[in-house]
Amino acid sequence: MSEQTTPRRLQLPTPGCYADPDRSGHTADDVFDGMAEHLFYTLGKLAPTASRHDLYLALSHAVRDRLMTRYLAGIEAINATPTRVVAYLSAEFLIGPQLGNNLLMLGIQDAAAEALRRFGIDHLEEILEVEEEPGLGNGGLGRLAACFMESLASLEIPATGYGIRYEFGIFDQLIRDGWQVEITDKWLKGGWPWEIPHPDQACFVGFGGRTESYRDERGNYRVRWIPEEHAIGVPHDVPVLGYRVNTCDRLRLWRADASESFDFYAFNIGDYYGAVEEKVGSETLSKVLYPNDGTDEGRRLRLKQQHFFVSCSLQDMLRSLDQRGIPIQEFPDHWAVQLNDTHPAIAVAELMRLLIDDKHLEWDQAWDITCRSVAYTNHTLLPEALEKWGLPLFGSLLPRHLELIYEINRRFLQMVRLRYPGNEALLRKLSIIDEEGTKAVRMANLATVASHHVNGVAALHSELVRTKLFPEFAELWPEKFTNVTNGVTPRRWVALSNPPLRQLLAETIGEGWVADLDQLRQLEQYQDDSNFLERWEQTKLASKRQLANYIHRQSGLLVDPSSLFDVQVKRIHEYKRQHLNALQVIAQYLRIKNGQADHMAPRTVIFGGKAAPGYYMAKLIIRFLNGIAETVNADPDMDGRLRVVFLPDYNVKLGERVYPASDLSEQISTAGLEASGTGNMKFAMNGALTIGTLDGANVEIREQVGSENFFLFGMTETEVADLHTEGYRPWELIPQMPELQQVLKLVEQGHFSGGDGDLFRPLLENLTGRDPFCVLADFNDYLRVQQQVSAVWGDRKTWNRMSLLNSARTGFFSSDRSIRDYASRIWKADAFPVTISCNLDG
C-alpha cells in the first residue's frame, strides 16, 4: 500500500470575504474578462459567434459575480450577530429588468459599456433591451414592493422579500382590432441569470385532509393536521443590492414541486396522465400570477398559492432561528413580518399553527409572538378588493387553520363583549367570520386583529381606513392605526430611466441626490434662471424624442415631440377613469373640428395599461380608447393638433421610457378611491405636472410641490359621498352640459366604432344611468382645468419653472423616506452595515 497522506483542506477566507479578485473588479478590463469567461465556460460560446442574448447573459453573470461577495457577507454577518430582519410578504414583486439597475448600483455602467464595445456593441442600451421583464407582478402593489426592497438594501436594513416564483406572469397584452388580447408571458424562456436556487432549503406545505386531537407525553391536549396532499416549495434567491453600499438583501421566491413527481405504478398500468398528475397539480401553484378567480377552481388555486408561499416563508424564518440556536420565543426580536395587503394574511393562522402544533407552545404565548411580529398594510378601500374566502372552500383546503381562526375570533369577540356589552351589531361588523349571506373568512379583519400596526399608504387613505373602512377597529385600538405614505426609488425612476436629466443634475448639484432625494431642493435657486430653464426643457425634449421614436417603431404613428405629452398609464379600471380622459379628448377633437381651438395646446395623448381578463367594462374602455385613436389619427384636421396613442403591454420597461418623456400626468381617479398611487410620484420626479383630484397621494403631492404647480379639479371625497347619499342621477346633468351632449351623441352614433352604434352602448348606459365613479359629475370641471393646462403650456418659461419645482420638491416621495418611516415606527429595525474585509493571503 502506498503511504497515507493527510488530505488537503480548503483554506477559507477571513470572515466577510468571499471575493475572487478576478471576479470582483470594477474596471472595463475586469468586466470584459468576466464576460469572456462566462461566454466560454457558462454558455459554451466563442465571442465571434455570440448573439446579443449571449452577451446579455455573459454580462449578467459577470455582474452577478460582483453581487455574490456582498450577498454572502450579509448572510454571514447576520448569522454571526443576530439582528432584526424585515420579512416583506407580498404576492407580487414587479422588480423590472435587473441588469441596468445592478450596473447602476455597482457604479459600473461606463465600464460595462466599454467592455461591450470590445465585443462590437456600440451602445449599452442594445444589450439592456434584450432582457425580458420578470413576470412577478402586475401593478402598483408589486412595484411598490420592489421599490421597498431596493430602499431597504440602500438604507442597509437587513430584509428578505418573500413571494412566488411565477413561471408565467399575468399575461402579455396585444391589441387586435382595438381589443385587448391576452397571451402567455413566457418570461423565463431565455433563462434568468439573476436567481440562485436552494433546493436543500425546500419546505413541505400541506393542503386538505383532516385534523385529529391527541394527548402528548405530558398529557397536554394537542391537535395534529393530517393533510391530504403536499407540495414542496423550493426557494430561489434574487440578490437585491443597495446603492453603493455592501448590503445585498434578498428576494426569496418559492417554486412549487410535487412531493412525488412520478407514479411508476400508474405509468406501468397505462395511466400515463395519472403518472404525472400530482406533479402537474403541485407545480400549478407557481405557474401563473393571479389565476382567474371567476371560477371555483380559480379561487381554490389562488387560496392555495397564498398559503403555499406564506407557509414556506414562515417555516424558513423559524428554521433560521433553529439553525442559529435562537429560542422560538425570541421570534419577534429577529423577524418583523409585514403583510403587503391581504394576500399574505393567512400568515396569522399559519404562524399560530406552527407555534402551537409544531413547536408546542401554549395559546397565549403563541398569540403574543404572532401579534408582536406581524403588521399589515392596507392598499384599498374598494370592498371587492378586501379578500373573503367562503367557509366551505377554506375549510376543505385548510381545516386546521379554520379551527384556529374560529378560536382567534371567539377570544377576540369575547374581549369586545366585555368592552361593549350587548352590542351585537358591533360584533357582526368586527367578526373575522362574516355571518351575512354566504359565510366567509374576512382576511382584512384577521390581519387587523392580529397585527401590532395597521397602516394606510397615503394621508387621505389612512384617514379613510380609520374613519370609513375600519372605524370600529380604530375605536377599539387607536394606537394600532398609522400612516406611511408610499414612495418610489429615485435610482430606477430617475437615475436609470432618465439619463439626460441625471446628467443635468450631476452638473448642477452633484450626484448626492441619488441617495438623498431631498437634495433636489437645491434646484429651486434656478427657478428664475432662463438659461437653466431652457436646458431643463431640452432634457425633457430629448426623452420625448426617444419615446416618439419608440412609438413610431411600434405602431408606425408619427407624433410631434414638441407637442404636449399628456399621459395616463396605469391599470385599466373604472375608478381610475380612463373613460373621463377619453371623453375630454373627444371634446378637444370636436373643438378642433368646429374651429374653436385657437388657444388649444397641440397634444399627444398617451394611454397604457392592462385590464383584468374577466373585467368586461375595463376591456371595453381599452376598445374605446383605441377607437378614438383610430379616428383621430386618421383625420387630417387633427394634423399638428391632436394625436392619441395606446401603448400595448405596459410594464416597468416601458415605464422607464414614458415617465421621463411626460409633460402632463393624468391622476384623475374618483376622490376617495385611490389608496395612494405611485405613478403620480414617478411623473413628478421627472418634471411632469399633475392634473388630478384630491385623491390618494395627490393630496400630499400638491402640498409638497405647491398648489400653484398642480392642476386641481373635481369633487372632494366628502362631496362624492354626499352626492351618492343624496341620490346621484347622472342623466339629469346631461341637458345642462351641451358640450358633453355632443360628445356622447358622437359616441352613440358610432363615430369611433366604424359606424357601429351598439359597440359602446354598455359604456354609455353605465355612464348615463349609474355613473358609479362620477365621471359626468366631474366632466365640466375637468375640461375647464384642461383649458388652463393649454394656457400655461403656451408660456414656456412658466411651464418649465413649474416642471422644475415639481422635481425639486419630490424628496418626500422617495421610497427611502417610506422605509425610514416603517423602520422607526412599525418594524423597529435598525441599519446593519456590512463590512467586507479581505485577507486574500490567508
Side-chain angles (χ1 to χ4, degrees):
M1 290 181 63
S2 60
E3 183 178 351
Q4 275 193 325
T5 58
T6 303
R8 296 183 62 188
R9 297 179 64 87
L10 177 65
Q11 182 68 40
L12 294 175
T14 57
C17 176
Y18 300 85
D20 177 344
D22 294 330
R23 291 190 169 200
S24 57
H26 286 188
T27 68
D29 287 343
D30 295 324
V31 177
F32 176 82
D33 290 344
M35 289 183 65
E37 179 180 335
H38 280 292
L39 272 176
F40 192 88
Y41 290 107
T42 305
L43 304 176
K45 296 288 181 73
L46 296 173
T49 62
S51 67
R52 276 176 166 73
H53 189 264
D54 294 329
L55 293 174
Y56 155 70
L57 289 174
L59 179 56
S60 296
H61 281 291
V63 171
R64 198 184 86 164
D65 289 345
R66 284 149 181 78
L67 303 184
M68 287 301 99
T69 298
R70 296 164 175 81
Y71 169 77
L72 293 171
I75 293 173
E76 180 189 63
I78 291 171
N79 287 339
T81 310
T83 186
R84 198 166 210 219
V85 178
V86 175
Y88 199 82
L89 272 61
S90 180
E92 298 183 39
F93 287 92
L94 192 59
I95 59 175
Q98 294 296 286
L99 177 56
N101 197 66
N102 283 325
L103 291 172
L104 174 69
M105 295 298 172
L106 288 166
I108 59 172
Q109 289 171 302
D110 291 342
E114 172 57 32
L116 285 169
R117 279 192 282 273
R118 300 179 193 179
F119 285 102
I121 302 297
D122 293 332
H123 302 288
L124 175 60
E125 289 71 25
E126 295 178 49
I127 298 303
L128 297 181
E129 190 58 34
V130 171
E131 185 171 4
E132 286 281 341
E133 177 156 335
L136 300 171
N138 174 35
L141 181 86
R143 185 53 233 171
L144 180 77
C147 285
F148 280 4
M149 288 302 301
E150 192 257 51
S151 281
L152 279 160
S154 294
L155 295 175
E156 301 183 282
I157 297 173
T160 297
Y162 283 109
I164 298 178
R165 181 188 180 270
Y166 300 104
E167 185 176 342
F168 304 110
I170 186 166
F171 60 83
D172 284 338
Q173 180 194 55
L174 300 179
I175 301 298
R176 291 180 181 159
D177 299 324
W179 291 97
Q180 170 179 294
V181 176
E182 302 97 23
I183 62 172
T184 306
D185 176 12
K186 301 177 181 177
W187 69 277
L188 284 167
K189 63 181 182 293
W192 198 43
W194 301 106
E195 61 183 359
I196 309 161
H198 291 288
D200 57 311
Q201 298 176 35
C203 298
F204 277 83
V205 181
F207 302 98
R210 59 188 172 84
T211 63
E212 63 179 27
S213 58
Y214 67 99
R215 296 281 176 180
D216 66 15
E217 63 278 5
R218 297 183 180 179
N220 297 317
Y221 176 82
R222 299 291 181 195
V223 176
R224 65 167 61 93
W225 177 25
I226 305 171
E228 184 180 28
E229 59 177 301
H230 289 88
I232 298 174
V234 179
H236 291 61
D237 286 357
V238 182
V240 181
L241 181 62
Y243 180 70
R244 310 293 168 85
V245 295
N246 290 328
T247 297
C248 187
D249 288 334
R250 64 177 179 176
L251 177 58
R252 173 154 280 199
L253 303 171
W254 299 97
R255 189 194 81 233
D257 277 353
S259 55
E260 182 62 54
S261 60
F262 191 82
D263 184 338
F264 276 100
Y265 176 75
F267 184 83
N268 288 333
I269 64 173
D271 184 4
Y272 303 123
Y273 175 76
V276 294
E277 184 176 10
E278 184 180 353
K279 175 180 173 64
V280 171
S282 295
E283 293 182 358
T284 299
L285 288 171
S286 57
K287 281 289 181 188
V288 65
L289 169 65
Y290 292 161
N292 186 355
D293 60 359
T295 66
D296 290 341
E297 282 305 308
R299 284 189 290 274
R300 186 177 184 86
L301 177 55
R302 186 177 289 201
L303 180 56
K304 288 181 75 171
Q305 282 185 331
Q306 293 179 5
H307 172 61
F308 166 73
F309 96 83
V310 164
S311 179
C312 288
S313 304
L314 290 170
Q315 289 182 56
D316 192 57
M317 294 177 225
L318 292 172
R319 179 172 54 195
S320 76
L321 299 187
D322 291 341
Q323 290 173 343
R324 292 178 287 168
I326 297 172
I328 195 66
Q329 291 80 3
E330 296 181 20
F331 184 92
D333 300 325
H334 296 277
W335 287 102
V337 181
Q338 188 69 35
L339 309 180
N340 191 28
D341 217 2
T342 53
H343 308 116
I346 192 63
V348 174
E350 175 65 359
L351 183 53
M352 287 294 288
R353 185 190 71 81
L354 292 168
L355 295 175
I356 292 171
D357 295 355
D358 289 6
K359 300 300 182 180
H360 294 168
L361 299 185
E362 296 306 316
W363 181 279
D364 289 344
Q365 191 175 30
W367 184 244
D368 176 67
I369 289 171
T370 299
C371 293
R372 288 195 294 124
S373 304
V374 174
Y376 161 50
T377 299
N378 173 276
H379 282 278
T380 184
L381 298 168
L382 298 175
E384 66 268 22
L386 293 174
E387 285 188 314
K388 295 197 296 186
W389 297 106
L391 295 190
L393 169 62
F394 198 98
S396 67
L397 269 181
L398 303 170
R400 178 56 177 149
H401 299 74
L402 187 56
E403 291 177 357
L404 291 166
I405 289 171
Y406 273 133
E407 182 61 15
I408 293 169
N409 199 42
R410 185 190 70 78
R411 292 173 181 240
F412 165 61
L413 292 182
Q414 182 59 22
M415 182 267 288
V416 176
R417 285 189 187 95
L418 295 176
R419 180 85 71 92
Y420 304 100
N423 194 338
E424 292 299 315
L426 179 63
L427 293 176
R428 284 194 297 273
K429 285 185 177 180
L430 293 178
S431 176
I432 298 169
I433 306 298
D434 185 359
E435 303 284 355
E436 304 293 331
T438 304
K439 293 185 179 182
V441 181
R442 295 163 162 162
M443 302 308 286
N445 289 33
L446 176 64
T448 302
V449 168
S451 296
H452 56 79
H453 281 86
V454 176
N455 72 281
V457 289
L460 174 63
H461 172 242
S462 294
E463 179 62 23
L464 293 174
V465 167
R466 283 192 297 268
T467 59
K468 303 289 186 184
L469 190 64
F470 298 137
E472 297 83 9
F473 282 113
E475 184 178 344
L476 191 64
W477 292 308
E479 72 283 357
K480 273 194 183 190
F481 288 81
T482 188
N483 172 63
V484 179
T485 297
N486 283 344
V488 300
T489 168
R491 268 78 64 179
R492 180 177 289 275
W493 295 114
V494 182
L496 180 63
S497 65
N498 198 340
L501 180 56
R502 181 186 177 187
Q503 182 177 347
L504 177 61
L505 293 175
E507 293 172 3
T508 308
I509 61 173
E511 291 273 9
W513 65 271
V514 182
D516 177 11
L517 199 62
D518 284 328
Q519 291 190 26
L520 289 185
R521 281 278 181 178
Q522 298 172 60
L523 291 172
E524 292 197 35
Q525 64 186 296
Y526 300 100
Q527 62 182 290
D528 296 315
D529 184 330
S530 297
N531 290 332
F532 184 82
L533 291 177
E534 286 180 15
R535 292 181 66 194
W536 184 267
E537 183 174 9
Q538 288 305 309
T539 65
K540 176 67 72 174
L541 186 59
S543 295
K544 291 170 71 175
R545 287 185 178 126
Q546 290 181 355
L547 181 58
N549 290 335
Y550 174 84
I551 291 170
H552 184 249
R553 291 197 306 272
Q554 297 299 311
S555 67
L557 181 66
L558 289 171
V559 301
D560 181 4
S562 68
S563 65
L564 189 159
F565 277 22
D566 177 352
V567 184
Q568 187 176 18
V569 286
K570 55 183 68 217
R571 180 167 54 93
I572 309 296
H573 196 291
E574 289 171 274
Y575 90 83
K576 295 179 184 287
R577 302 204 294 190
Q578 285 90 352
H579 45 341
L580 172 60
N581 194 352
L583 294 178
Q584 76 89 16
V585 170
I586 296 173
Q588 307 278 18
Y589 169 80
L590 281 170
R591 287 179 178 180
I592 295 171
K593 295 293 285 184
N594 295 331
Q596 300 171 343
D598 291 343
H599 302 291
M600 185 186 301
R603 292 194 193 217
T604 298
V605 183
I606 299 171
F607 295 94
K610 295 178 181 179
Y615 190 175
Y616 172 74
M617 192 60 73
K619 296 177 88 166
L620 187 61
I621 289 173
I622 290 177
R623 178 64 184 88
F624 187 40
L625 299 175
N626 281 289
I628 294 169
E630 291 166 9
T631 302
V632 168
N633 298 337
D635 191 329
D637 291 343
M638 300 300 115
D639 290 350
R641 307 301 300 270
L642 184 63
R643 284 286 179 265
V644 181
V645 180
F646 188 92
L647 296 173
D649 204 33
Y650 188 73
N651 55 18
V652 172
K653 253 178 125 168
L654 191 45
E656 290 175 3
R657 298 179 184 274
V658 169
Y659 292 117
S662 301
D663 295 306
L664 185 67
S665 163
E666 298 273 353
Q667 306 299 328
I668 60 177
S669 54
T670 311
L673 293 182
E674 185 72 85
S676 168
T678 52
N680 46 10
M681 303 169 188
K682 298 164 198 166
F683 280 114
M685 278 184 190
N686 284 281
L689 309 188
T690 303
I691 181 169
T693 54
L694 287 177
D695 194 30
N698 286 357
V699 176
E700 290 154 286
I701 288 177
R702 184 168 178 263
E703 289 173 355
Q704 293 290 326
V705 306
S707 58
E708 69 280 9
N709 299 308
F710 186 105
F711 296 106
L712 176 67
F713 80 95
M715 293 182 292
T716 65
E717 180 273 330
T718 302
E719 290 168 342
V720 170
D722 290 345
L723 181 64
H724 285 300
T725 300
E726 294 164 4
Y728 176 38
R729 293 176 290 277
W731 59 88
E732 294 181 353
L733 294 178
I734 297 172
Q736 307 166 34
M737 303 162 68
E739 197 161 11
L740 176 62
Q741 277 184 299
Q742 294 179 50
V743 169
L744 296 176
K745 184 177 180 181
L746 206 60
V747 177
E748 187 178 3
Q749 291 173 340
H751 190 74
F752 303 102
S753 49
D756 183 354
D758 292 327
L759 181 59
F760 299 127
R761 188 177 304 281
L763 184 60
L764 290 175
E765 289 177 346
N766 182 270
L767 286 173
T768 59
R770 292 178 56 244
D771 194 17
F773 300 105
C774 302
V775 171
L776 302 191
D778 274 347
F779 177 80
N780 266 4
D781 199 33
Y782 180 48
L783 206 56
R784 176 187 63 80
V785 175
Q786 288 285 12
Q787 289 178 268
Q788 290 182 8
V789 170
S790 282
V792 176
W793 178 258
D795 182 347
R796 303 305 306 142
K797 184 174 182 180
T798 298
W799 185 279
N800 291 332
R801 179 179 180 277
M802 292 169 69
S803 171
L804 173 74
L805 292 175
N806 265 264
S807 288
R809 295 171 178 175
T810 52
F812 179 78
F813 302 105
S814 168
S815 49
D816 294 351
R817 189 271 314 148
S818 300
I819 290 302
R820 288 191 186 98
D821 287 350
Y822 274 106
S824 63
R825 300 211 306 264
I826 296 177
W827 300 331
K828 309 301 180 186
D830 298 321
F832 186 76
V834 175
T835 301
I836 299 177
S837 55
C838 290
N839 179 4
L840 295 174
D841 296 330

